[in-house]
Amino acid sequence: MKAAIFDLDGTLVDSAPDIALSMNRLLADHGAPPQAVSFVEGFIGEGARALVAKLFAALGVQTDDLDRDVATYIAYYRANPVAASKLYADAAPALQALHAAGIKLGVCTNKLQELAEIVLDHFGLLPLMSVVIGADTTPYTKPDPRPLLHAAQALGVEPHEVVYVGDTTIDRDCATAASIPYRIVNWGTGREVAVAAEARLSRFADLLPNPVAAD
């Protein structure tokens, strides 16, 4: 393995509380009641437009301008993207160790690139990333394999030389279509994704060439 590429929301960062807060502000604009973080979390992964459209549909919220509502949600989220978000597991020390070991690092997410970089910067991870691919970086979004392949190309590695780490069936299917090895994390929605045992990741340090045994 010469490189590791990560999904962001639900993989590196538990951003569901802040996403839910912004989504609930949008729901309030439509006179709809707020939803639990756990409910909103189930709609995260396909980008802002799918989040708003699918959550509205699930709740029976009517809209006469989805584009406007998506833009409003993004504005709410941009104003306060990391108030309650936290890093998952051992993300900070493990990614620093991977970087120090010469492993190239990147992010491929369906979050807008600007917002992804804001979140990564807040947690001190942005300087470790050689590439950040967001929903608007290329004309495509996951599970289309092209954003992930674009990230691998930007890192200067072949598909078989990189591992992709995610937490959804979208991430699994994207990596499979790109012929890139993948790992699905054991937290968040990752627990619900059907994968072989060897494709599971219980901590980021297990990506290291010689991982230290857990305490």
Side-chain angles (χ1 to χ4, degrees):
M1 186 183 77
K2 294 183 178 179
I5 302 173
F6 301 87
D7 173 54
L8 184 58
D9 298 321
T11 299
L12 288 176
V13 179
D14 180 7
S15 52
D18 290 311
I19 291 174
L21 178 64
S22 301
M23 194 68 225
N24 281 332
R25 289 186 64 185
L26 181 63
L27 289 173
D29 292 344
H30 287 268
Q35 301 299 309
V37 172
S38 58
F39 178 76
V40 176
E41 185 178 31
F43 296 87
I44 297 172
E46 295 181 78
R49 186 177 184 85
L51 170 67
V52 174
K54 292 188 175 183
L55 199 145
F56 273 18
L59 297 174
V61 176
Q62 301 298 315
T63 177
D64 56 5
D65 192 337
L66 181 60
D67 289 337
R68 180 191 62 205
D69 285 324
V70 172
T72 299
Y73 160 75
I74 291 172
Y76 287 155
Y77 182 75
R78 180 181 282 113
N80 210 10
V82 286
S85 296
K86 296 179 180 180
L87 287 177
Y88 275 115
D90 59 333
L95 266 63
Q96 290 166 0
L98 284 164
H99 185 267
I103 304 298
K104 298 178 181 179
L105 304 178
V107 162
C108 182
T109 173
N110 279 343
K111 186 190 289 291
L112 295 175
Q113 181 176 340
E114 174 203 4
L115 296 178
E117 291 176 349
I118 289 172
V119 172
L120 288 165
D121 188 52
H122 173 80
F123 291 108
L125 299 181
L126 187 58
L128 303 178
M129 301 300 169
S130 297
V131 63
V132 177
I133 304 297
D136 54 340
T137 309
T138 75
Y140 314 100
T141 57
K142 300 179 300 181
D144 189 297
R146 284 172 283 193
L148 183 54
L149 289 170
H150 182 77
Q153 183 179 37
L155 292 175
V157 295
E158 296 297 324
H160 67 276
E161 296 175 323
V162 61
V163 64
Y164 184 54
V165 182
D167 73 306
T168 65
T169 57
I170 295 167
D171 297 320
R172 178 197 65 193
D173 295 347
C174 175
T176 299
S179 296
I180 285 179
Y182 66 87
R183 299 289 184 272
I184 298 297
V185 297
N186 272 340
W187 46 83
T189 58
R191 293 187 296 264
E192 304 167 9
V193 179
V195 293
E198 59 269 22
R200 285 282 171 193
L201 188 70
S202 59
R203 58 175 191 159
F204 293 110
D206 289 338
L207 296 171
L208 286 163
N210 298 294
V212 178
D215 294 332

